Amino acid sequence: QMVIRGLRMLRVFRALRIVRVLLEADLSWTEEPRFQTFIGTVIGLNSILMGLETDIDWVGWFYLEQILLTIYTFELVVLLKRFGLYFFSCNNPDIGWNMLDAAIVISSVLDSWVVPFMNLMVKCMQNPGGHHDDAGGVNFGQAMLLMRMARLMRILRLVKLVKAVRPLLFLVIGVIAAMQGVVWVLVLTVVSLYAMGIVATRLVGHKLLFPADAVVDEDIL
């Protein structure tokens, strides 16, 4: 039965035919406002669903997650096909966002699709008695724990919302630019306090401000 279930899961790969047709088509529409608006809407919806999923226990979250992950994977595939190696080129001004998008999508695919498939294959390869090597089971369990922890990468999808909404992106850029100015103000403040501390120590602490024969209470110093 486990083998049959595994073969049924392989039917999903039939969808690759549709992907092949899309990859052979003109993908200039990926740069049109309609596609960008659609992706931005999906990201916004995903942000709301993640908050609801945190507090509400519902079996339907799993299926919604699969739909959203399919859309994100589709977006990454068509963009890679559209831009090729330039998508990850250092000359691309959006390389930071692109690498973040790729990391989010790949980690989600591993957690939602690859890991469950690996679990199924491991169960299929077990002997009829259901016994397996304990050491291998421990190692595999540790790997699964790491993959579950990688599920937290989904939270980074909220960062995609900043990229999708232009006013938010401009606000973040402005805040970052302002932070650079604040850093230099902080440096100037520290240098000024340091210089004033040296001057005060030499004038008062070393008694350069007082006559040589003057007696100054140590409490004042």
Side-chain angles (χ1 to χ4, degrees):
Q1 294 180 354
M2 299 298 295
V3 175
I4 295 176
R5 290 178 58 185
L7 293 176
R8 290 177 179 175
M9 290 186 63
L10 291 176
R11 294 180 181 178
V12 179
F13 290 100
R14 293 182 179 179
L16 294 177
R17 297 179 181 178
I18 301 177
V19 176
R20 179 182 177 183
V21 174
L22 291 174
L23 293 180
E24 293 178 352
D26 182 19
L27 299 179
S28 59
W29 47 267
T30 57
E31 302 180 35
E32 295 181 358
R34 289 180 298 178
F35 180 73
Q36 300 297 332
T37 302
F38 170 73
I39 296 298
T41 303
V42 171
I43 295 173
L45 177 62
N46 190 190
S47 303
I48 297 175
L49 293 179
M50 280 194 295
L52 296 176
E53 184 181 0
T54 303
D55 296 327
I56 301 177
D57 187 13
W58 180 47
V59 68
W61 298 129
F62 171 79
Y63 301 100
L64 291 177
E65 171 65 21
Q66 304 310 309
I67 295 174
L68 294 173
L69 181 55
T70 301
I71 295 175
Y72 289 138
T73 305
F74 173 78
E75 177 198 13
L76 180 62
V77 170
V78 296
L79 290 178
L80 286 173
K81 174 60 179 178
R82 172 64 176 171
F83 297 101
L85 296 178
Y86 181 72
F87 188 77
F88 294 115
S89 174
C90 296
N91 297 325
N92 190 339
D94 295 330
I95 181 175
W97 293 106
N98 295 340
M99 294 183 66
L100 178 62
D101 290 345
I104 295 173
V105 174
I106 292 175
S107 63
S108 299
V109 168
L110 291 175
D111 175 64
S112 299
W113 296 344
V114 177
V115 171
F117 183 76
M118 291 175 59
N119 286 330
L120 180 60
M121 295 302 296
V122 169
K123 293 180 180 179
C124 294
M125 291 185 295
Q126 290 179 356
N127 56 38
H131 301 290
H132 56 280
D133 184 35
D134 292 338
V138 172
N139 293 333
F140 185 76
Q142 293 175 350
M144 294 303 100
L145 178 61
L146 292 176
M147 295 309 303
R148 293 191 187 100
M149 293 179 62
R151 187 173 300 176
L152 296 175
M153 290 285 290
R154 292 191 303 169
I155 300 177
L156 292 178
R157 293 180 185 175
L158 296 175
V159 182
K160 293 169 65 70
L161 181 64
V162 177
K163 179 185 177 183
V165 181
R166 287 295 176 180
L168 288 178
L169 179 60
F170 295 150
L171 179 61
V172 171
I173 295 175
V175 170
I176 294 176
M179 288 298 296
Q180 295 177 354
V182 171
V183 170
W184 289 115
V185 170
L186 179 61
V187 171
L188 178 61
T189 302
V190 171
V191 171
S192 300
L193 292 176
Y194 181 70
M196 293 302 297
I198 294 176
V199 172
T201 301
R202 291 181 179 274
L203 292 179
V204 180
H206 295 174
K207 303 179 181 180
L208 296 179
L209 190 62
F210 304 99
D213 56 347
V215 178
V216 182
D217 190 355
E218 294 295 334
D219 294 336
I220 298 177
L221 301 178

Short mmCIF file of all heavy atoms in Angstrom, two decimals, residues 16 25 41 44 58 63 67 72 95 104 106 121 138 144 146 149 173 194 213-214 218:
data_model
loop_
_atom_site.label_atom_id
_atom_site.label_comp_id
_atom_site.label_asym_id
_atom_site.label_seq_id
_atom_site.Cartn_x
_atom_site.Cartn_y
_atom_site.Cartn_z
N LEU A 16 4.53 19.03 -14.48
CA LEU A 16 5.73 19.58 -15.12
C LEU A 16 5.50 19.84 -16.61
O LEU A 16 6.19 20.65 -17.21
CB LEU A 16 6.90 18.61 -14.94
CG LEU A 16 7.39 18.42 -13.49
CD1 LEU A 16 8.49 17.39 -13.44
CD2 LEU A 16 7.86 19.74 -12.91
N ALA A 25 7.14 29.68 -23.53
CA ALA A 25 6.37 30.84 -23.98
C ALA A 25 7.12 32.13 -23.65
O ALA A 25 8.14 32.13 -22.96
CB ALA A 25 4.99 30.84 -23.32
N THR A 41 -0.74 40.88 -3.99
CA THR A 41 -1.98 40.48 -3.32
C THR A 41 -1.82 39.14 -2.62
O THR A 41 -2.29 38.95 -1.49
CB THR A 41 -3.13 40.40 -4.34
OG1 THR A 41 -3.26 41.67 -4.99
CG2 THR A 41 -4.43 40.05 -3.65
N GLY A 44 0.25 39.65 0.52
CA GLY A 44 -0.57 40.26 1.57
C GLY A 44 -1.54 39.26 2.19
O GLY A 44 -1.70 39.21 3.42
N TRP A 58 -6.95 24.73 12.23
CA TRP A 58 -7.87 24.36 11.14
C TRP A 58 -7.11 23.52 10.15
O TRP A 58 -5.98 23.84 9.76
CB TRP A 58 -8.42 25.62 10.46
CG TRP A 58 -9.36 25.33 9.34
CD1 TRP A 58 -10.40 24.45 9.33
CD2 TRP A 58 -9.37 25.95 8.04
NE1 TRP A 58 -11.04 24.46 8.12
CE2 TRP A 58 -10.42 25.39 7.31
CE3 TRP A 58 -8.57 26.93 7.45
CZ2 TRP A 58 -10.71 25.76 6.00
CZ3 TRP A 58 -8.86 27.32 6.16
CH2 TRP A 58 -9.92 26.74 5.44
N TYR A 63 -3.83 23.00 3.02
CA TYR A 63 -4.14 23.10 1.59
C TYR A 63 -3.91 24.52 1.08
O TYR A 63 -3.43 24.72 -0.05
CB TYR A 63 -5.59 22.66 1.34
CG TYR A 63 -5.84 21.24 1.79
CD1 TYR A 63 -6.47 20.99 3.02
CD2 TYR A 63 -5.43 20.16 1.03
CE1 TYR A 63 -6.70 19.69 3.45
CE2 TYR A 63 -5.66 18.86 1.45
CZ TYR A 63 -6.29 18.63 2.66
OH TYR A 63 -6.50 17.34 3.08
N ILE A 67 -1.25 25.81 -1.95
CA ILE A 67 -1.61 26.70 -3.06
C ILE A 67 -0.66 27.90 -3.11
O ILE A 67 -0.14 28.26 -4.18
CB ILE A 67 -3.07 27.17 -2.91
CG1 ILE A 67 -4.03 25.98 -3.04
CG2 ILE A 67 -3.40 28.24 -3.95
CD1 ILE A 67 -5.48 26.34 -2.76
N TYR A 72 4.29 30.78 -5.30
CA TYR A 72 5.64 31.30 -5.07
C TYR A 72 6.67 30.55 -5.92
O TYR A 72 7.59 31.15 -6.48
CB TYR A 72 6.01 31.20 -3.60
CG TYR A 72 5.27 32.14 -2.70
CD1 TYR A 72 4.77 31.73 -1.47
CD2 TYR A 72 5.06 33.46 -3.08
CE1 TYR A 72 4.10 32.60 -0.64
CE2 TYR A 72 4.38 34.34 -2.25
CZ TYR A 72 3.89 33.90 -1.04
OH TYR A 72 3.22 34.77 -0.23
N ILE A 95 19.60 41.92 -6.42
CA ILE A 95 20.17 40.63 -6.09
C ILE A 95 19.86 40.23 -4.65
O ILE A 95 19.61 39.04 -4.36
CB ILE A 95 21.70 40.63 -6.33
CG1 ILE A 95 22.29 39.24 -6.01
CG2 ILE A 95 22.38 41.72 -5.55
CD1 ILE A 95 23.76 39.12 -6.32
N ILE A 104 13.64 31.64 0.64
CA ILE A 104 12.32 31.39 1.23
C ILE A 104 11.60 30.28 0.49
O ILE A 104 11.05 29.35 1.09
CB ILE A 104 11.49 32.68 1.23
CG1 ILE A 104 12.12 33.73 2.14
CG2 ILE A 104 10.06 32.40 1.65
CD1 ILE A 104 11.46 35.09 2.06
N ILE A 106 12.84 27.92 -1.59
CA ILE A 106 13.52 26.63 -1.52
C ILE A 106 13.31 25.98 -0.15
O ILE A 106 13.04 24.77 -0.06
CB ILE A 106 15.02 26.80 -1.82
CG1 ILE A 106 15.22 27.19 -3.28
CG2 ILE A 106 15.78 25.51 -1.53
CD1 ILE A 106 16.66 27.52 -3.64
N MET A 121 9.20 7.62 1.49
CA MET A 121 10.15 6.67 0.91
C MET A 121 10.84 5.84 1.99
O MET A 121 11.09 4.64 1.81
CB MET A 121 11.18 7.42 0.07
CG MET A 121 10.61 8.12 -1.14
SD MET A 121 9.76 6.99 -2.26
CE MET A 121 11.14 5.95 -2.77
N VAL A 138 17.96 7.76 14.21
CA VAL A 138 18.31 8.95 14.98
C VAL A 138 18.82 10.05 14.07
O VAL A 138 18.43 11.21 14.19
CB VAL A 138 19.36 8.59 16.04
CG1 VAL A 138 19.89 9.85 16.72
CG2 VAL A 138 18.76 7.65 17.09
N MET A 144 15.16 15.69 10.26
CA MET A 144 13.78 16.15 10.20
C MET A 144 13.54 17.30 11.18
O MET A 144 12.77 18.22 10.90
CB MET A 144 12.82 14.99 10.53
CG MET A 144 12.82 13.87 9.50
SD MET A 144 12.42 14.43 7.83
CE MET A 144 14.05 14.53 7.09
N LEU A 146 15.73 19.56 12.04
CA LEU A 146 16.30 20.75 11.42
C LEU A 146 15.37 21.30 10.34
O LEU A 146 15.22 22.52 10.20
CB LEU A 146 17.67 20.42 10.82
CG LEU A 146 18.78 20.09 11.83
CD1 LEU A 146 20.06 19.70 11.10
CD2 LEU A 146 19.05 21.28 12.75
N MET A 149 12.57 23.14 11.94
CA MET A 149 13.00 24.46 12.37
C MET A 149 13.10 25.41 11.19
O MET A 149 12.86 26.62 11.32
CB MET A 149 14.35 24.36 13.08
CG MET A 149 14.31 23.61 14.40
SD MET A 149 15.92 23.50 15.19
CE MET A 149 16.28 25.23 15.45
N ILE A 173 13.79 52.22 2.65
CA ILE A 173 15.01 52.82 2.10
C ILE A 173 15.32 54.14 2.79
O ILE A 173 16.47 54.45 3.13
CB ILE A 173 14.87 53.01 0.58
CG1 ILE A 173 14.77 51.65 -0.12
CG2 ILE A 173 16.06 53.79 0.03
CD1 ILE A 173 14.51 51.75 -1.61
N TYR A 194 34.39 62.22 24.41
CA TYR A 194 35.73 61.72 24.70
C TYR A 194 36.73 62.87 24.80
O TYR A 194 37.56 62.92 25.73
CB TYR A 194 36.15 60.74 23.60
CG TYR A 194 37.52 60.13 23.80
CD1 TYR A 194 37.76 59.22 24.82
CD2 TYR A 194 38.57 60.48 22.95
CE1 TYR A 194 39.01 58.66 24.99
CE2 TYR A 194 39.82 59.93 23.12
CZ TYR A 194 40.04 59.02 24.13
OH TYR A 194 41.28 58.48 24.31
N ASP A 213 50.37 76.27 44.12
CA ASP A 213 50.37 76.18 45.57
C ASP A 213 48.97 76.07 46.16
O ASP A 213 48.80 76.13 47.39
CB ASP A 213 51.08 77.39 46.18
CG ASP A 213 50.44 78.70 45.71
OD1 ASP A 213 49.63 78.65 44.75
OD2 ASP A 213 50.77 79.75 46.28
N ALA A 214 47.96 75.94 45.33
CA ALA A 214 46.58 75.87 45.81
C ALA A 214 46.30 74.49 46.38
O ALA A 214 46.78 73.48 45.90
CB ALA A 214 45.60 76.17 44.67
N GLU A 218 40.03 66.91 47.82
CA GLU A 218 39.96 65.74 46.93
C GLU A 218 38.54 65.38 46.54
O GLU A 218 38.30 64.79 45.50
CB GLU A 218 40.65 64.54 47.60
CG GLU A 218 42.15 64.70 47.80
CD GLU A 218 42.88 64.78 46.46
OE1 GLU A 218 42.35 64.25 45.47
OE2 GLU A 218 43.96 65.38 46.42
#
